[in-house]
Amino acid sequence: MAPKQHHTSSTSFPVRAESESLPALTSYLLSLISIKHSNLCVSADVHSTSILLKLAEEIGDSICVLKTHADIIDDFSDRTIKGLQEIAKRKNFLIFEDRKLGDIG
């Protein structure tokens, strides 16, 4: 007997994004996936603000999520945050902060 398919596996991203039962962030991500025809998330393992912002600028149109690691950026500051927010807003992608050292005791 074949396993039963979950109802969302046959529902398009735009239709799923409109579901009132979803959190707003989930709906937004599903909309991005639909608009960009991609579900690409890039992990930015870089050590400087300038490289991070340059990377975001270069790939922002093609990604849905940029995963950052503030812990490893040597010159992390308000400039990093504001620059990344501006690029993310303009290029329509989400920023996901992945604390590298936050779970080490």
Side-chain angles (χ1 to χ4, degrees):
M1 178 181 220
K4 188 174 179 180
Q5 248 187 343
H6 192 272
H7 72 279
T8 58
S9 64
S10 61
T11 308
S12 69
F13 287 128
V15 171
R16 288 169 60 189
E18 296 297 321
S19 172
E20 293 180 12
S21 65
L22 291 177
L25 183 59
T26 304
S27 292
Y28 182 69
L29 179 57
L30 290 170
S31 295
L32 280 179
I33 291 169
S34 177
I35 292 164
K36 291 190 170 197
H37 304 286
S38 171
N39 63 355
L40 187 61
C41 174
V42 172
S43 180
D45 294 329
V46 299
H47 296 276
S48 76
T49 294
S50 62
I51 294 172
L52 177 63
L53 297 180
K54 182 178 179 187
L55 177 67
E57 191 67 49
E58 289 176 0
I59 65 171
D61 290 326
S62 302
I63 65 171
C64 292
V65 179
L66 181 66
K67 187 169 79 162
T68 62
H69 308 290
D71 299 11
I72 66 171
I73 298 175
D74 298 328
D75 59 345
F76 189 84
S77 68
D78 284 345
R79 177 179 162 261
T80 311
I81 296 168
K82 289 177 182 172
L84 199 51
Q85 287 175 329
E86 186 275 322
I87 296 168
K89 185 175 183 177
R90 187 167 32 85
K91 302 257 182 191
N92 294 316
F93 63 84
L94 293 171
I95 304 164
F96 173 72
E97 170 55 27
D98 182 20
R99 301 281 307 204
K100 287 289 192 196
L101 307 175
D103 59 354
I104 298 173

